[in-house]
Amino acid sequence: MFKSNNFIMQGRWRRTFIAATSIALASQVNFQIYAPGFILTLAALLLPIFLYFNDDINPIQLMFCIAMASPIFRGLLLFISHDGSVDKIIQFVVTDMVFYLTYGVIYYFLYWRRGVRNNSSFFLIILICDYVANFFEISLLTDFSHYTYELFQIIFITALIRTLLSCLLAFLYHYFTLMVRQEKHEQRYYQFIWIAASVKSEVYFMKKNISEIENVMKNAYLLNQDLKDKGTDQKQQDMALDIARDVHEIKKDYQNVIRGLGDYFGSDNNMPMMLSDVLKVITNYIRESIKQKSPNVVIEVKNNLDLVIPNHYYLVSIISNLIFNAVDALDDKPNGLIRLTVEDKNDHVILNVSDNGIGMDEETKDMIFQPGFTTKFNASGDVYRGIGLSHVALLVKEQFDGTIQVDSQLNKGTNFKVTLNKNKLLQEETAE
């Protein structure tokens, strides 16, 4: 804890030093108006920007450091250049210090100590700080005399212009950083949706596999009973019983995994999404995924439906798998095109995923929806991961009461037509 606080304090002092140094250097860009020693500098333009982006630093401490650095630096240069007597130089240094300290005190009490801060109040307080600090500085230089209406106009216009410019720069930069941050958060959210869709689909099929695991366990137990009735060797009976027990343990571990993933990615965490956003998540993620391997592939989306999809994770899995299959079918084609269209057909929603890739022969078309069928292997012969077209067809049927059809011609392309029941598409997922 102590080391952490020490690190934070070092960071604040480092930023304070940078601010003081920058202000001192910027103060050299100036011109004199109204009275000797009263100058308009670039420093006063940068000052609100430092305050805006360092709101964790006490402004009185910050201004004290600036009041030490900038005026003394200015006085040192005036002394070296013999630009004025020693008394005048000291007067200029003192009045400069008064400007910064007055600025900091007003800012501290009117803004920094407030619990609620916003851009409009920041602008107003900066305007007041600049105006009052300038007023005190010029009053010291003129011995609190020679006040004129023109003087107040000059001070106010100067304060207004500097405040407008500095706040405009600060607000625009802040807005830009927020936009960049929002874009990064949006990308992370898209990635989460993608991962969640993959997990939800896997959990869905893991649940379906439980019955198959139970059948294996049941058959192993029945085999044990059959061997026992036939008076078979005890070793074989024990082996069958061990198989039943082992499968039972596997089933329990399987169920624990399903329960854990199901709790995290359950229907309670399934916030509805607009169909347009679902399609954006899918296409943006796939474009990012294939840009290195297949940079020439163009993915077009045509959708005019404004639907809110509660059960969108399964829809993400269905469409993304079809598009990834289309990418593979393009086989590095230089003018590869994938077109995704969404149509409203009364009680149904029609999705078409088409490509101008290598196509399929009749034999392959008859096999693609069979469990375990794949044409995709990597260099080592391992099958590529993915839920597969058989599982895609199962999701379409069981989750959305729909159908999937394929139309393909060799060397011309393929089109997958998915018909979804609109009521099922708009229906929230029920807890199992």
Side-chain angles (χ1 to χ4, degrees), residues 13-49:
W13 280 113
R14 187 179 297 111
R15 281 180 284 147
T16 301
F17 174 77
I18 292 173
T21 305
S22 301
I23 295 297
L25 294 174
S27 66
Q28 304 315 303
V29 182
N30 62 76
F31 59 93
Q32 182 175 292
I33 65 169
Y34 193 75
F38 184 69
I39 57 175
L40 300 180
T41 72
L42 180 62
L45 187 65
L46 297 180
L47 191 55
I49 299 176

Side-chain angles (χ1 to χ4, degrees), residues 167-178:
C167 287
L168 181 63
L169 290 173
F171 297 163
L172 284 177
Y173 182 77
H174 181 61
Y175 178 75
F176 174 74
T177 55
L178 285 178

Side-chain angles (χ1 to χ4, degrees), residues 186-252:
E186 185 175 322
Q187 290 174 352
R188 293 193 187 101
Y189 178 68
Y190 287 172
Q191 188 173 15
F192 170 79
I193 294 293
W194 186 270
I195 294 171
S198 300
V199 172
K200 290 269 288 187
S201 298
E202 294 290 351
V203 168
Y204 180 77
F205 292 109
M206 287 172 70
K207 288 179 180 178
K208 298 183 74 65
N209 289 340
I210 287 291
S211 60
E212 297 179 14
I213 293 175
E214 289 176 341
N215 286 334
V216 174
M217 180 179 65
K218 179 182 177 182
N219 289 336
Y221 180 76
L222 291 176
L223 177 61
N224 169 264
Q225 294 296 319
D226 187 51
L227 293 174
K228 186 183 294 185
D229 293 340
K230 292 180 179 179
T232 312
D233 182 63
Q234 185 65 37
K235 184 177 180 180
Q236 292 182 335
Q237 296 179 36
D238 293 342
M239 186 179 297
L241 188 59
D242 288 341
I243 291 173
R245 289 170 178 167
D246 291 341
V247 172
H248 178 68
E249 292 301 317
I250 292 172
K251 175 190 170 184
K252 288 200 304 183

Side-chain angles (χ1 to χ4, degrees), residues 137-360:
E137 181 183 7
I138 201 168
S139 295
L140 287 172
L141 290 170
T142 59
D143 295 325
F144 295 90
S145 61
H146 305 294
Y147 294 125
T148 63
Y149 183 71
E150 181 186 6
L151 170 63
F152 292 111
Q153 281 185 318
I154 292 173
I155 295 175
F156 179 76
I157 293 173
T158 300
L160 180 61
I161 292 174
R162 289 198 299 205
T163 301
L164 282 171
L165 290 176
S166 58
C167 287
L168 181 63
L169 290 173
F171 297 163
L172 284 177
Y173 182 77
H174 181 61
Y175 178 75
F176 174 74
T177 55
L178 285 178
M179 290 291 290
V180 172
R181 196 178 306 161
Q182 182 179 357
E183 184 177 349
K184 290 181 178 179
H185 288 172
E186 185 175 322
Q187 290 174 352
R188 293 193 187 101
Y189 178 68
Y190 287 172
Q191 188 173 15
F192 170 79
I193 294 293
W194 186 270
I195 294 171
S198 300
V199 172
K200 290 269 288 187
S201 298
E202 294 290 351
V203 168
Y204 180 77
F205 292 109
M206 287 172 70
K207 288 179 180 178
K208 298 183 74 65
N209 289 340
I210 287 291
S211 60
E212 297 179 14
I213 293 175
E214 289 176 341
N215 286 334
V216 174
M217 180 179 65
K218 179 182 177 182
N219 289 336
Y221 180 76
L222 291 176
L223 177 61
N224 169 264
Q225 294 296 319
D226 187 51
L227 293 174
K228 186 183 294 185
D229 293 340
K230 292 180 179 179
T232 312
D233 182 63
Q234 185 65 37
K235 184 177 180 180
Q236 292 182 335
Q237 296 179 36
D238 293 342
M239 186 179 297
L241 188 59
D242 288 341
I243 291 173
R245 289 170 178 167
D246 291 341
V247 172
H248 178 68
E249 292 301 317
I250 292 172
K251 175 190 170 184
K252 288 200 304 183
D253 293 339
Y254 214 67
Q255 288 175 325
N256 288 334
V257 172
I258 292 173
R259 190 177 299 110
L261 293 174
D263 289 343
Y264 189 78
F265 294 99
S267 56
D268 292 341
N269 297 321
N270 189 3
M271 298 297 294
M273 288 182 67
M274 292 292 296
L275 177 59
S276 58
D277 291 331
V278 173
L279 300 180
K280 185 178 179 182
V281 168
I282 296 170
T283 53
N284 283 1
Y285 188 88
I286 293 179
R287 287 180 183 126
E288 185 68 23
S289 300
I290 68 173
K291 68 179 182 181
Q292 296 296 331
K293 183 181 176 183
S294 307
N296 298 322
V297 173
V298 175
I299 302 176
E300 292 183 356
V301 179
K302 183 180 180 181
N303 168 50
N304 296 319
L305 296 185
D306 291 327
L307 299 178
V308 178
I309 313 296
N311 197 8
H312 55 78
Y313 288 125
Y314 294 127
L315 188 63
V316 171
S317 292
I318 291 168
I319 299 175
S320 61
N321 273 274
L322 293 177
I323 293 180
F324 270 125
N325 271 285
V327 172
D328 293 329
L330 291 172
D331 196 26
D332 298 327
K333 194 172 183 177
N335 59 339
L337 174 63
I338 299 172
R339 183 177 288 112
L340 168 62
T341 62
V342 183
E343 302 174 64
D344 188 357
K345 294 292 184 180
N346 299 321
D347 294 333
H348 295 87
V349 173
I350 309 296
L351 305 175
N352 281 282
V353 179
S354 60
D355 64 74
N356 60 344
I358 58 176
M360 292 180 284

Side-chain angles (χ1 to χ4, degrees), residues 91-104:
Q91 183 186 23
F92 295 161
V93 169
V94 171
T95 53
D96 269 3
M97 288 182 174
V98 169
F99 172 83
Y100 290 115
L101 293 176
T102 303
Y103 200 116

